[in-house]
Every structure is written in C-alpha cells, then in structure tokens.
Amino acid sequence: AISAGAVGKAGLTRVGEVVGTPEYMSPEQASGDAVDGRSDLYSLGLVAFFAATGRTAMEGPSSQRILVRQLTEPVPPLASERVGLPEPLTAAIDRCVAKDPADRFASAEALVEAIDQAQLAAPEIPIHIRGFAQELSTLLLVSLFMILLSAVTLRNAPENLSLVDKLLPLVIFFGIALTRVLQAMAMARRLAEAGFSPAETLRGLRATVDEQDSLRSQLRLDSETHRRRRKTLIMAGMQLPGGVALVYLASRLRVRAPSGDFNSGIPGIVLVISGLLMMSVSVVLIIRSPFRMPPGERVFRLLWLGPIGRALIRRSARGVATSPGVGGSQSVMRAASPTPRSVATPVRVDSATSALTLESLETRLAALEKWRGERG
C-alpha cells in the first residue's frame, strides 16, 4: 500500500510504502510485477543520471507522484541534461532507464561489455612507460639547450681561435647530449626486458600525450577555468604595456658618457629589469593557454611518436626476446607493473640435500614432542 503523503526525508524509503526508494525504483517494481536483474539496471541508470547531473531524474512532492512518473514518464535523454559526456556512455545510461525491461541490457555483463567496447575508460599507463616518457621529454629539452648553446658559442668565439679550438666546446655539448641518448636507450631496453614490445611502448607514449589532450578537453568545458583564463588575459594585457612604458622611461633616463657609452644609473637599471620581466611574463601568459597544445608537446609527438622514436625504441629492444603472454597482443596497457620475463631463478635441490633437510626436520620434531611430553 502507498501512504497518502510522503513521510520522512526525500530520497529515503518511507514507512508504510512500497519497499524501496521511489526516486530510484523501476516501473515493474513500483507496479508489483516480477523483477529481475534488469530492474537493478534501471536503478543503476538513475543513479548514474544523478551522478552526471546532480539531480534525480524522477522528482515529485509525494511518493505517489514519483511512482506514477516512474510508470508513465520516460527519463529524459542524458545528453540533453548534461553536455560533454561521451556519446557511448549516455547511450548506455539511456538504455538502462528504458521503461520496458526488454529494451534494457539483458544483464549487467552486457552493460559492462558495452562500456568496454566503447573504451570509455582511459588505459592504465604503467609507471615504467611514464618514467620513459619523462626521460624522453628531458632528453628533448637537453638537446635543444645544447643546440642553442653551441650556436651561441660558435657565434661569439674569438676570430683568432683555430677551428679545432672553436669545436672543443661543441664536443663537450655533444658528449652530454649523447650520454642522455644512451640513457634513454638503456631505459627503453629495460622496458623490453620487462616484457613490453616496441609497439606497446609506443602506444604507452601516445597514451601519455593523449591524457593531456583529454585534460584540455575537460578544461574547455569548465566555466571556472574559462573565467580564470579571461582574468589572466586581462592582467597580462594590462601588464604588457606597463612593461613597455618602464623600458621606454629607462631609455629616457640614459645619459651619454664621455666615452660614448650610455649610462642609466641604478634607477634606470631597475626600470629596465622590471619592464623586461613584466613584458616576458605577459607574453608567456598570453601564449601559454590551458586549452592549446604547448610547443614542447607538439615536438614530442613529432619526434618520439614518429620515425625517430620508433627507430630508437626498436634499436634498443634488438636482441631481447619477448616471453609469450607478457607482451604482444595480450595486453596493450597494464594497470600495474608488468610481469618480468624471469621473476626468479629456480633453486635446484638434489636428493642428498633433500634427505638432509628432511632428517633435520624429523629430529627437531622429535625433540619438540619429547619436550612437550616432559612438560606434561
């Protein structure tokens, strides 16, 4: 029996009513018909609807009104109530809350299979591959820095130096960069020895940058992030002309010395440094957007996910045999550390050692029984 009015707090089972929470009750349960696992899928779909929108799909001033709505009104499509969710996810939830049980998933296993096939969950990236991605990013920064440093060194080298003397600093820079390359190759080889094939390693590297793409997609849907970005642009837009004004003011304070050089004095130096800092910070704030892919990531994709990265990983894995069931098509991404190809070397025990061990155990057991007998 359904009571005349709602008793207690909304969202809880009321005394004297149909057993269950009306807001999450399936139509067949509300009407007293036979229920099965598909009724639970309906309730699960309503819970998912609440998790996605922050409100219950079926609301009303009383239990009767809520149950009537459960029996007669369709649940609104989730995509119309919450934008930005993956289409396969909204389709799965909408199918769970179909009024006719025959229109829902036949079982919970079918729901899980549909979600798995849609690849709604991001792949778990093993910590080994994450570390390798960080190593490649560091190698990229070191290489770019060494190239710039070499160019500056060659440009500013005295004219009276020989070619060999000019190239000596470049040899040092090349040695540093080569060392980092060899370290990256050693890490790639350890991945291969741990059971990761070159294809799996490349997919893992791609997954690390795809994570950043996913994060940017979420930030584009976040109104608070957009508000902060606008505030940052306003601040940078006001700061940039201020920096230009300080540099201009410092230039006006310069005084030509008898030697022909300009002397700005302490105030002028402070103004120049402050102005340049303000200008550089403003430019970085304007260019660096949380909604756009940074240049470093673009270079990472071009270099390490392209032919150069494939060649380095395959060259590092050369000569390493992949154990069956560890790499290959068995598992692209692992939720935890991969199983090493050789966890431990089995200890071989000959018959003589086994006999001595058994005799020792029997002696100790007899002594223990004798002691227990003496203690009563």
Side-chain angles (χ1 to χ4, degrees):
I2 302 177
S3 62
V7 181
K9 297 181 179 180
L12 300 177
T13 302
R14 285 87 172 182
V15 178
E17 300 181 359
V18 176
V19 177
T21 306
E23 288 82 359
Y24 301 97
M25 190 178 297
S26 66
E28 58 269 29
Q29 184 179 359
S31 61
D33 294 337
V35 298
D36 53 21
R38 293 173 296 181
S39 174
D40 294 329
L41 290 180
Y42 184 91
S43 301
L44 177 63
L46 292 179
V47 172
F49 187 97
F50 176 81
T53 63
R55 65 176 184 84
T56 54
M58 294 297 174
E59 300 175 339
S62 64
S63 299
Q64 300 97 312
R65 295 290 296 274
I66 296 175
L67 293 178
V68 168
R69 292 190 64 189
Q70 294 284 24
L71 290 167
T72 59
E73 296 183 17
V75 177
L78 181 57
S80 64
E81 304 293 327
R82 166 68 187 276
V83 298
L85 293 178
E87 183 179 351
L89 178 61
T90 58
I93 295 175
D94 290 342
R95 184 175 177 183
C96 286
V97 296
K99 294 300 177 181
D100 189 351
D103 295 333
R104 304 172 199 156
F105 291 99
S107 62
E109 289 80 1
L111 170 61
V112 173
E113 183 178 355
I115 293 177
D116 287 342
Q117 290 179 352
Q119 296 182 350
L120 296 177
E124 293 287 347
I125 305 175
I127 189 173
H128 300 70
I129 293 183
R130 288 189 183 276
F132 183 53
Q134 293 176 358
E135 176 66 21
L136 292 180
S137 299
T138 304
L139 172 59
L140 182 61
L141 291 176
V142 170
S143 300
L144 291 176
F145 179 74
M146 290 303 163
I147 292 174
L148 292 176
L149 198 58
S150 300
V152 172
T153 302
L154 281 177
R155 183 180 181 86
N156 298 325
E159 295 294 337
N160 57 351
L161 290 180
S162 65
L163 179 61
V164 175
D165 293 333
K166 292 180 180 180
L167 293 179
L168 285 179
L170 273 63
V171 173
I172 298 176
F173 301 152
F174 177 78
I176 295 174
L178 179 61
T179 302
R180 296 310 302 258
V181 171
L182 295 177
Q183 289 177 340
M185 294 182 66
M187 185 173 289
R189 186 170 184 84
R190 287 196 295 271
L191 283 174
E193 292 173 347
F196 290 99
S197 67
E200 285 182 309
T201 301
L202 287 169
R203 283 194 291 268
L205 294 177
R206 184 174 298 277
T208 59
V209 292
D210 288 343
E211 275 187 343
Q212 301 302 318
D213 268 343
S214 177
L215 177 59
R216 284 189 289 268
S217 299
Q218 295 177 20
L219 292 178
R220 294 189 189 103
L221 301 174
D222 186 13
S223 58
E224 179 65 19
T225 303
H226 281 279
R227 185 189 67 81
R228 293 177 181 175
R229 177 59 179 166
R230 288 193 295 268
K231 185 177 179 180
T232 300
L233 290 176
I234 292 174
M235 181 184 67
M238 296 173 61
Q239 187 172 280
L240 183 59
V244 175
L246 290 179
V247 174
Y248 175 77
L249 181 59
S251 66
R252 303 294 296 177
L253 294 177
R254 294 185 307 171
V255 178
R256 183 181 293 274
S259 61
D261 298 330
F262 286 96
N263 187 5
S264 299
I266 299 299
I269 295 175
V270 172
L271 289 176
V272 169
I273 293 176
S274 301
L276 292 177
L277 285 175
M278 292 174 63
M279 293 169 60
S280 58
V281 170
S282 300
V283 171
V284 172
L285 291 177
I286 293 173
I287 296 177
R288 182 69 174 90
S289 171
F291 309 125
R292 294 195 301 268
M293 184 183 300
E297 185 176 332
R298 295 182 185 275
V299 177
F300 185 96
R301 288 175 177 270
L302 180 64
L303 191 63
W304 302 127
L305 300 183
I308 295 178
R310 289 195 297 268
L312 183 142
I313 293 172
R314 289 171 180 169
R315 176 65 181 83
S316 303
R318 185 176 299 175
V320 178
T322 303
S323 297
V326 177
S329 60
Q330 294 290 331
S331 173
V332 177
M333 292 291 102
R334 296 165 173 79
S337 301
T339 303
R341 293 188 301 114
S342 298
V343 178
T345 302
V347 179
R348 299 184 62 182
V349 181
D350 54 21
S351 57
T353 303
S354 178
L356 290 175
T357 303
L358 181 59
E359 181 180 357
S360 175
L361 291 175
E362 290 177 347
T363 303
R364 294 179 63 184
L365 180 58
L368 179 60
E369 291 178 347
K370 181 179 178 181
W371 177 79
R372 292 181 60 184
E374 291 176 351
R375 294 292 297 267

